[in-house]
C-alpha cells in the first residue's frame, strides 16, 4: 500500500513538473514575438517623418507600424496608417537568432501629435502604445538633452542610466530629442546589455528621437553590426563609413553632425567639409566620441578641427573621458574671447565632455591650457541645450539635479 502511494505521489509530482515546463515554454512562445528594445529616431525630416527600430526574440516576424493622429491611442478606426518595414536576422550567440525590425513613417504633418505601436500585426504582439510630436515649421526655440558613455554590463549598471534619463527629463521636460556621444554598452555583442539599455529608458526612447554617436565600445575593429542593427538612422554620411555611424540632420535652426572617431577619418574630413558648406542653418553643432579637446588633445582629428574653425562650428559634444570638461572658445588651437561664460559672434568653438551617464568614472586628467571647467564629481551627468533664436544656453546637471556648469553662446 505504501509503495502504491509513493508511486502515485511520484506521478503527481511528475505531472506538476510537466505542467510547469509546458507552461513556461508556452509563455516563452507567447512572449517571443513581443517587441523589445524599441527606439525612435530621425532619419529624414523631423517635420514630416519618424523612424523606429525594435527587436523580437524570433526573426520570423513581420515589421508593422501603425499610427493615428492624436494621443488617444485608438488603433481600431479608419484613420489608422499602417506601414510595413523590414526584418533582418541577428545572431546573438548560443545558436540563437533574434529579429531586428526597422520602419519609417513619412509624409507626416508638421507640428502634429501621433500615437503609434509596432509589432507583427497580430493580437498580443504589439508594443505598448506611445505618442510623439513632429517638429513645427520655423522652429527656432527648442531644447535637446545630451548624454554620453552609458556603457554598462549588468542590469544595475543600466539602472544608473535610467535614473539619469529620468532626471534629465524632469529638468528638461520639453526636450525634443536626445544626443548620445557614444559607448552605449560595454560589449556590443552582449544583447542582454542592449535589452537593459533600452528597457531602463523605454518611456523616453519610445517618445523622443534618440540620436547616437559611435564610440569605441560600439564599433570594435571596424565592426559595428550590432550597434547599427538597433537604430534606423540617416544614411547621408561619409563614403566608406559604416552606414549609420556618420550622418547629419537638421532640427529647427540647428545643423547637427555626427562623426565616427573609430574609422575612416580622412573620408569623413572630406564629407564634413561638404556637409558644413551645404547647410544654411545658423547654429552648427558637432558630436563625436573621442574628443578633439577633452581630457587631452586628440591629434587624430586635427583635420576636423580645421574644418570646425573654417565653418565656425559653435559647439562640439564629446565623450570617452568619463569626466566633465569644458573648453574656452578655441580658434586655431588658441583661446579667444574674454574668458567669460558667454561666447559672442562665433568667435570660437566650445568643446564639452558631459562626464558619463553610466557607472564608469575615470580619474580626472591633468588640466590643459584650454580647460575652462574641468572636474570629476563621480556622479552621472547630463546637459540640456536650449536654443532660442540667437542664443544657445548649455546647462549641465548631476543626477541629483545639482547644476554643475552653465555657459551661453550668443550670435
Amino acid at each position: 500500500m505504501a509503495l502504491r502511494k509513493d508511486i502515485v505521489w511520484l506521478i503527481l509530482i511528475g505531472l506538476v513538473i510537466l505542467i510547469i515546463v509546458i507552461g513556461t515554454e508556452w509563455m516563452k512562445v507567447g512572449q517571443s514575438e513581443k517587441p523589445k528594445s524599441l527606439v525612435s529616431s530621425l532619419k529624414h525630416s523631423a517635420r514630416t517623418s519618424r523612424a523606429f527600430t525594435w527587436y523580437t526574440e524570433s526573426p520570423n516576424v513581420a515589421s508593422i507600424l501603425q499610427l493615428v493622429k492624436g494621443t488617444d491611442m485608438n488603433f481600431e478606426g479608419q484613420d489608422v496608417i499602417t506601414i510595413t518595414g523590414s526584418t533582418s536576422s541577428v545572431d546573438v550567440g548560443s545558436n540563437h537568432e533574434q529579429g531586428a525590425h526597422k520602419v519609417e513613417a513619412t509624409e507626416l504633418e508638421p507640428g502634429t501629435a501621433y500615437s503609434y505601436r509596432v509589432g507583427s500585426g497580430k493580437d498580443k504582439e504589439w508594443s505598448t502604445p506611445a505618442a510623439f510630436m513632429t517638429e513645427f515649421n520655423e522652429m527656432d526655440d527648442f531644447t535637446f538633452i545630451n548624454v554620453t558613455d552609458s556603457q554598462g554590463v549588468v542590469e544595475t549598471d543600466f539602472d544608473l542610466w535610467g535614473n539619469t534619463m529620468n532626471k534629465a527629463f524632469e529638468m528638461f521636460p520639453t526636450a525634443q530629442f536626445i544626443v548620445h556621444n557614444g559607448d552605449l554598452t560595454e560589449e556590443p555583442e552582449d544583447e542582454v546589455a542592449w535589452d537593459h539599455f533600452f528597457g531602463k529608458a523605454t518611456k523616453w526612447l519610445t517618445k523622443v528621437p534618440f540620436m547616437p554617436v559611435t564610440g569605441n565600445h560600439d564599433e570594435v575593429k571596424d565592426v559595428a553590426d550590432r550597434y547599427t542593427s538597433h537604430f534606423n538612422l540617416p544614411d547621408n554620411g561619409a563614403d566608406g563609413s559604416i552606414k549609420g555611424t556618420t550622418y547629419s540632420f537638421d532640427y529647427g535652426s540647428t545643423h547637427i553632425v555626427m562623426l565616427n572617431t573609430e574609422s575612416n577619418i580622412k573620408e569623413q574630413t572630406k564629407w564634413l567639409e561638404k556637409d558644413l558648406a551645404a547647410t544654411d542653418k545658423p547654429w552648427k553643432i558637432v558630436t563625436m566620441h573621442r574628443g578633439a579637446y577633452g581630457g587631452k588633445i586628440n591629434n587624430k582629428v586635427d583635420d576636423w578641427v580645421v574644418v570646425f574653425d573654417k565653418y565656425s562650428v559653435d559647439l562640439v559634444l564629446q565623450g570617452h573621458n568619463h569626466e566633465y570638461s569644458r573648453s574656452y572658445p578655441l580658434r586655431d588651437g588658441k583661446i579667444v574671447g574674454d574668458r567669460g561664460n558667454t561666447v559672442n559672434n562665433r568667435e570660437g568653438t566650445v568643446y564639452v565632455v558631459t562626464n558619463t551617464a553610466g557607472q564608469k568614472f575615470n580619474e580626472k586628467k591633468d588640466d590643459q591650457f584650454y580647460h575652462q571647467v574641468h572636474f570629476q564629481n563621480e556622479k552621472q551627468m547630463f546637459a540640456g541645450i536650449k536654443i532660442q533664436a540667437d542664443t544657445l544656453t548649455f546647462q549641465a546637471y548631476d543626477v541629483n539635479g545639482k547644476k554643475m556648469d552653465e555657459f551661453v553662446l550668443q550670435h
Side-chain angles (χ1 to χ4, degrees):
M1 184 65 71
L3 179 60
R4 185 177 297 172
K5 287 182 178 180
D6 290 342
I7 293 173
V8 171
W9 274 111
L10 287 172
I11 292 173
L12 289 174
I13 291 170
L15 287 172
V16 171
I17 293 173
L18 181 61
I19 291 170
I20 292 173
V21 170
I22 293 174
T24 301
E25 292 303 312
W26 180 83
M27 289 178 66
K28 287 181 179 178
V29 171
Q31 295 175 352
S32 65
E33 321 303 354
K34 191 82 171 177
K36 63 173 185 173
S37 300
L38 174 60
V39 60
S40 65
S41 57
L42 303 173
K43 189 171 185 178
H44 292 98
S45 170
R47 298 173 184 172
T48 60
S49 68
R50 187 63 55 92
F52 303 91
T53 313
W54 69 96
Y55 263 44
T56 50
E57 290 294 335
S58 168
N60 302 312
V61 181
S63 302
I64 306 295
L65 166 68
Q66 288 191 331
L67 304 102
V68 63
K69 281 186 185 180
T71 58
D72 59 1
M73 302 185 184
N74 179 6
F75 300 96
E76 304 303 324
Q78 297 181 346
D79 297 328
V80 175
I81 303 167
T82 300
I83 303 171
T84 300
S86 63
T87 305
S88 59
S89 183
V90 179
D91 183 357
V92 297
S94 301
N95 296 315
H96 179 53
E97 292 184 343
Q98 294 185 9
H101 307 265
K102 297 188 178 186
V103 62
E104 183 183 16
T106 58
E107 299 182 1
L108 303 179
E109 296 180 17
T112 303
Y114 288 88
S115 301
Y116 79 95
R117 63 180 182 175
V118 301
S120 69
K122 298 179 180 179
D123 289 343
K124 299 182 180 180
E125 294 181 2
W126 292 106
S127 64
T128 301
F132 66 88
M133 177 77 73
T134 54
E135 179 194 343
F136 286 87
N137 288 322
E138 306 302 325
M139 194 169 185
D140 64 354
D141 186 342
F142 64 93
T143 301
F144 70 93
I145 288 170
N146 182 233
V147 288
T148 189
D149 294 273
S150 52
Q151 67 188 83
V153 180
V154 298
E155 183 174 3
T156 52
D157 294 341
F158 292 100
D159 284 335
L160 301 172
W161 152 245
N163 292 339
T164 305
M165 292 304 298
N166 290 341
K167 180 58 72 170
F169 276 94
E170 178 184 326
M171 302 301 295
F172 301 100
T174 63
Q176 275 78 32
F177 57 95
I178 305 159
V179 170
H180 191 300
N181 305 348
D183 280 3
L184 283 68
T185 67
E186 179 73 20
E187 299 292 341
E189 300 301 313
D190 181 1
E191 196 56 42
V192 174
W194 285 107
D195 290 344
H196 294 321
F197 172 81
F198 290 107
K200 298 299 181 179
T202 186
K203 63 182 176 181
W204 310 119
L205 303 186
T206 56
K207 299 174 184 177
V208 179
F210 181 82
M211 309 303 288
V213 164
T214 310
N216 59 297
H217 286 265
D218 306 313
E219 179 180 324
V220 180
K221 296 180 179 179
D222 297 326
V223 176
D225 294 352
R226 192 66 61 82
Y227 169 83
T228 57
S229 73
H230 271 295
F231 302 102
N232 196 358
L233 299 169
D235 55 6
N236 58 356
D239 291 340
S241 287
I242 300 168
K243 286 188 177 181
T245 66
T246 65
Y247 59 96
S248 64
F249 67 99
D250 292 335
Y251 199 97
S253 56
T254 304
H255 184 68
I256 301 179
V257 183
M258 318 298 263
L259 296 172
N260 179 7
T261 56
E262 305 312 302
S263 61
N264 202 34
I265 301 295
K266 291 184 178 180
E267 286 300 318
Q268 284 184 77
T269 306
K270 299 175 186 176
W271 169 74
L272 174 66
E273 172 116 24
K274 292 179 182 178
D275 182 84
L276 290 177
T279 185
D280 60 357
K281 299 296 183 182
W283 291 102
K284 300 180 184 68
I285 297 175
V286 171
T287 307
M288 60 184 180
H289 186 61
R290 301 185 198 241
Y293 294 98
K296 58 182 180 180
I297 295 175
N298 179 5
N299 292 320
K300 292 183 179 180
V301 296
D302 282 351
D303 290 343
W304 292 358
V305 173
V306 172
V307 181
F308 300 162
D309 288 348
K310 179 177 179 180
Y311 292 96
S312 298
V313 168
D314 296 285
L315 178 65
V316 177
L317 304 172
Q318 310 168 128
H320 190 62
N321 289 141
H322 298 255
E323 62 176 13
Y324 187 87
S325 73
R326 190 240 297 182
S327 78
Y328 290 102
L330 302 174
R331 184 74 71 217
D332 297 324
K334 298 177 181 179
I335 298 171
V336 294
D338 61 6
R339 297 181 179 249
N341 285 320
T342 299
V343 180
N344 294 298
N345 301 319
R346 302 181 177 89
E347 58 193 349
T349 302
V350 177
Y351 297 77
V352 181
V353 179
T354 320
N355 208 330
T356 174
Q359 50 84 31
K360 181 181 178 182
F361 299 101
N362 289 344
E363 183 176 347
K364 177 178 171 289
K365 294 178 175 60
D366 293 339
D367 291 337
Q368 304 292 332
F369 78 91
Y370 51 82
H371 279 131
Q372 184 167 7
V373 181
H374 190 205
F375 60 82
Q376 178 57 275
N377 58 337
E378 296 192 352
K379 290 184 179 180
Q380 290 76 39
M381 290 186 63
F382 59 88
I385 300 170
K386 184 173 184 60
I387 293 176
Q388 296 174 290
D390 293 334
T391 303
L392 182 154
T393 304
F394 184 106
Q395 296 177 320
Y397 288 83
D398 71 16
V399 71
N400 296 325
K402 180 181 179 181
K403 186 188 291 185
M404 304 300 297
D405 189 27
E406 179 174 351
F407 63 92
V408 173
L409 308 182
Q410 188 73 52
H411 280 178

